[in-house]
Amino acid sequence: MSNRPTPPRLLRSRWRSGPVPLSLCPVVVSVTDFTATSHPQAAAIALAGLRLRRTWPRTPGALGMWLWADVAGRRSGSVSVWNDEVALKEFVGRPDHIEVVRAHRGRGTMRALTWEAEDFDPDAVWFRARALLTGTTDWPHGLVRLEDA
């Protein structure tokens, strides 16, 4: 019997396309991981993510994204793919995104990671993101309390 903890069971949404057509091109990938202080808070942040997801087809610079959740662990987040870092930063600064961050400040911890990929391969992106989210690969940075975000 192994002493290793069982990896979390992740639920993943279907791919939601953005306005940028999928092609073999350099991309920026962003992975976010929010851990809520309670299950009701986890549900609230997941619903906020679903509302933001509805805007994806009109989000400039977005190739697409997945939402994910670890219900038992009170965690959820996204794996989003962008044509460049400018587009990602513009999304992060959007009023509706800022409103979500402010609404959940102090109610959990957040971590995020971005990387560049030469060619967008959905399977490779999800494999790398899942390794982070399940703890198979260590995050290079620690958690950030949302009141510090």
Side-chain angles (χ1 to χ4, degrees):
M1 184 187 311
S2 172
N3 290 334
R4 288 184 133 174
T6 303
R9 181 167 179 256
L10 298 183
L11 303 174
R12 179 180 77 165
S13 71
R14 285 191 223 161
W15 175 257
R16 177 68 169 201
S17 294
V20 177
L22 294 179
S23 63
L24 291 178
C25 61
V27 296
V28 172
V29 178
S30 173
V31 178
T32 62
D33 181 354
F34 176 80
T35 302
T37 54
S38 68
H39 283 286
Q41 186 62 40
I45 193 70
L47 287 173
L50 286 169
R51 283 192 295 277
L52 285 173
R53 184 177 189 265
R54 284 189 240 153
T55 69
W56 223 251
R58 301 177 311 279
T59 300
L63 277 77
M65 56 96 73
W66 295 282
L67 293 177
W68 66 271
D70 165 14
V71 177
R74 302 179 324 275
R75 297 170 53 222
S76 64
S78 66
V79 178
S80 56
V81 183
W82 304 88
N83 64 346
D84 59 33
E85 195 169 336
V86 171
L88 170 58
K89 286 182 179 181
E90 287 175 356
F91 170 74
V92 170
R94 254 178 34 182
D96 56 347
H97 183 264
I98 291 170
E99 183 180 327
V100 168
V101 172
R102 287 182 179 156
H104 300 283
R105 187 168 275 153
R107 297 184 175 134
T109 56
M110 176 77 179
R111 56 187 170 181
L113 178 67
T114 60
W115 72 82
E116 294 181 15
E118 280 302 311
D119 295 317
F120 176 55
D121 175 350
D123 292 333
V125 166
W126 179 251
F127 182 82
R128 183 171 175 188
R130 189 176 194 293
L132 286 165
L133 300 170
T134 60
T136 305
T137 299
D138 290 333
W139 288 75
H141 310 290
L143 295 171
V144 175
R145 294 177 321 193
L146 282 187
E147 54 270 17
D148 298 334

